[in-house]
Amino acid sequence: MTVPLALLGLLERAPSHGYDLKRDYDNLFGRDKPLPPGQVYSTLGRLARDGKVVMDEVGPGTGPDRKRYVITDTGAVELHSWLAEPADPEPHLQTVLFTKVVLALLLERDAAGYLDAQRASHLRRMRELTEVRRGGALVDRLLADHGLFHLEADLRWIDQTAARLGQLAEEVLR
Amino acid sequence: MTGIVLEARGLELSFGPTPALRGADLAVEAGEILAIMGPSGSGKSTLLHCLAGILTPDAGEIEFAGRRLDTMKEAQRSELRRDRFGFVFQFGQLVPELTAEENVALPLLLGGRKRAAALAEARSWFGRLGLDGLEARRSGELSGGQAQRVALARAMVTRPDVIFADEPTGALDSLTGEQVMDLLVSTAREHGTTVVVVTHEPRVAACADREVTVRDGRVTTAFMERMAS
Ligand SMILES: Nc1ncnc2c1ncn2[C@@H]1O[C@H](COP(=O)(O)OP(=O)(O)OP(=O)(O)O)[C@@H](O)[C@H]1O
Ligand SMILES: [Mg+2]
């Protein structure tokens, strides 16, 4: 998952307190899914255990916020190799959509009706994301774009498949 | 919403032996932005042209603001198109001999407005659509996105009740297309204009309030709506 690496990245910029990390993470990456505070500290705990961050005590008093987290060389090496490495090209060939279509055809259910429903549902989500884009900060717009382009690709596939259901049924039922 | 402004019932239309519409029904709410999607050749453009009174169906009825478009005399219909409707097509719609501002002023001039007043009104759209400084250019001297925004200004200049758009972003890259679509939607919302837009691009359809799909010359509503009704 990207949370530990995102936190390492924020720490590579400057040592930081847990609550500042959470705020920065939420601003940049957690627009519609803020990081629960518990997860911030448990993730930092694991990074510390694995030697990727260390704690640097600043200021008097007790409690977690008196500790600043600092990235180690090990952490920095991992971060930089992750940054340069291409992510796995998604999606994989076994999609839920495809499985539903093939099963519907196998069982002689209404595959076209399912594709229609999926299409309407995708378009509804696209309308929501279009609303997010409108007047949003660039971070929100680009995040919404990522979702929009993926949904659009699905829709192309849905149209393509809907147009070939007859042929697909023949192959599946053979 | 303030009720149905445009309605088609049982439209049929053939081009020679080819049936393009086979019983298409559609109702458009006033102020609504409606996307028409569907496979190539399914009859989207034909439906749009019927709704806009450009084509007359072989059978069926079209009502705009309580008046029957399909039985109206051509002279009256073309007046209606000029005064109450605006049009944006994929490309090739600007008159190449005219400047951008003359193109925008054209519907006003055809409607009998004085030249100076028409041009002043036309110019007032340039700033709003990010076209400042392009007033005197001819269409050959505009980029695709600029030409499409000029076409949008021309469609809006008469303050029409309905804008009909057929693949308005079809010839543009996705960023430019998005700007044109954002402008179309925001100006339409600002003026309460109804928009009927044919598109095969889901991102364009997602700017609309609602979409319908045309298949084999008929309009099919979305599954969820069918469930609800
Ligand atoms: N002027 C015409 N003369 C003859 N046939 C026509 C004419 N206009 C359309 N057709 C036919 O009518 C049918 C519907 O065409 P229409 O242009 O409405 O489709 P469309 O859904 O807009 O397609 P596209 O997405 O490719 O623009 C097609 O079979 C087309 O070949
Ligand atoms: Mg067409």
Side-chain angles (χ1 to χ4, degrees):
Chain A
M1 264 302 293
T2 58
V3 174
L5 287 148
L7 293 183
L8 279 180
L10 293 173
L11 287 173
E12 168 79 340
R13 188 183 48 171
S16 178
H17 293 292
Y19 57 77
D20 289 333
L21 279 177
K22 171 179 158 47
R23 187 202 52 213
D24 291 346
Y25 180 95
D26 289 349
N27 270 338
L28 289 170
F29 310 119
R31 306 296 287 192
D32 60 349
K33 212 171 146 215
L35 209 49
Q39 192 183 344
V40 180
Y41 289 104
S42 62
T43 304
L44 287 168
R46 273 193 301 277
L47 289 171
R49 180 199 64 200
D50 298 342
K52 295 169 190 168
V53 303
V54 290
M55 268 163 277
D56 160 21
E57 308 233 337
V58 290
T62 52
D65 287 338
R66 151 180 93 81
K67 297 177 198 149
R68 252 178 13 163
Y69 293 86
V70 182
I71 192 168
T72 63
D73 286 345
T74 310
V77 166
E78 168 158 339
L79 171 70
H80 287 289
S81 74
W82 179 75
L83 281 181
E85 185 185 303
D88 253 356
E90 289 175 283
H92 306 290
L93 288 178
Q94 306 283 346
T95 74
V96 179
L97 273 57
F98 182 71
T99 309
K100 287 194 184 209
V101 170
V102 170
L103 278 179
L105 291 174
L106 263 182
L107 304 173
E108 304 192 30
R109 298 295 176 100
D110 185 6
Y114 159 68
L115 284 173
D116 255 11
Q118 189 67 64
R119 190 165 202 291
S121 155
H122 267 54
L123 270 166
R124 188 154 3 91
R125 182 69 185 135
M126 286 186 74
R127 271 201 293 276
E128 288 166 14
L129 290 175
T130 302
E131 209 45 57
V132 169
R133 285 188 91 261
R134 202 164 284 145
L138 187 58
V139 179
D140 296 310
R141 294 170 63 91
L142 289 175
L143 268 176
D145 273 341
H146 188 260
L148 281 166
F149 283 122
H150 277 81
L151 289 165
E152 187 168 43
D154 275 357
L155 277 171
R156 289 221 183 107
W157 180 85
I158 287 170
D159 285 344
Q160 192 95 325
T161 305
R164 300 203 173 142
L165 271 184
Q167 223 179 316
L168 181 61
E170 273 175 33
E171 280 193 27
V172 166
L173 291 169
R174 188 176 294 154
Chain B
M1 297 286 164
T2 51
I4 307 292
V5 64
L6 189 60
E7 186 166 11
R9 288 180 292 265
L11 297 191
E12 290 174 25
L13 178 63
S14 294
F15 296 101
T18 318
L21 296 179
R22 321 172 181 224
D25 300 302
L26 183 65
V28 188
E29 302 249 9
E32 173 178 47
I33 298 181
L34 174 74
I36 299 180
M37 305 189 77
S40 181
S42 59
K44 301 181 297 293
S45 296
T46 307
L47 174 62
L48 190 84
H49 291 155
C50 284
L51 289 171
I54 297 171
L55 285 174
T56 311
D58 300 331
E61 304 176 351
I62 305 155
E63 207 169 285
F64 164 70
R67 296 161 73 187
R68 285 280 295 275
L69 271 188
D70 52 298
T71 53
M72 200 179 270
K73 290 212 179 64
E74 181 47 38
Q76 252 181 309
R77 232 169 33 174
S78 78
E79 196 172 297
L80 196 77
R81 283 199 301 265
R82 191 190 65 212
D83 298 338
R84 312 280 301 266
F85 296 164
F87 296 92
V88 185
F89 296 121
Q90 187 166 350
F91 38 50
Q93 42 191 333
L94 299 181
V95 183
E97 291 79 16
L98 300 182
T99 63
E101 64 184 8
E102 286 166 343
N103 264 289
V104 175
L106 200 56
L108 297 173
L109 294 169
L110 293 174
R113 192 84 70 91
K114 290 258 166 34
R115 186 174 164 86
L119 283 174
E121 176 70 25
R123 270 181 223 119
S124 76
W125 281 92
F126 279 70
R128 263 181 274 183
L129 298 182
L131 293 166
D132 270 330
L134 303 178
E135 291 84 348
R137 298 259 187 106
R138 282 168 214 282
S139 61
E141 303 161 346
L142 297 170
S143 73
Q146 289 165 344
Q148 210 55 344
R149 276 177 283 160
V150 172
L152 185 56
R154 189 176 63 182
M156 291 298 293
V157 77
T158 58
R159 308 278 163 114
D161 296 276
V162 187
I163 288 196
F164 295 96
D166 196 348
E167 301 284 4
T169 62
L172 306 176
D173 67 62
S174 72
L175 212 56
T176 316
E178 185 181 292
Q179 282 168 357
V180 167
M181 206 49 210
D182 282 349
L183 284 168
L184 172 58
V185 168
S186 59
T187 47
R189 294 226 193 276
E190 190 184 326
H191 297 277
T193 316
T194 306
V195 177
V196 183
V197 54
V198 167
T199 184
H200 66 271
E201 291 174 70
R203 279 167 67 86
V204 169
C207 295
D209 300 313
R210 180 168 74 98
E211 81 280 344
V212 295
T213 306
V214 177
R215 285 209 180 88
D216 298 327
R218 286 191 201 90
V219 180
T220 63
T221 39
F223 178 80
M224 298 316 282
E225 273 182 52
R226 283 208 305 272
M227 297 294 283
S229 65

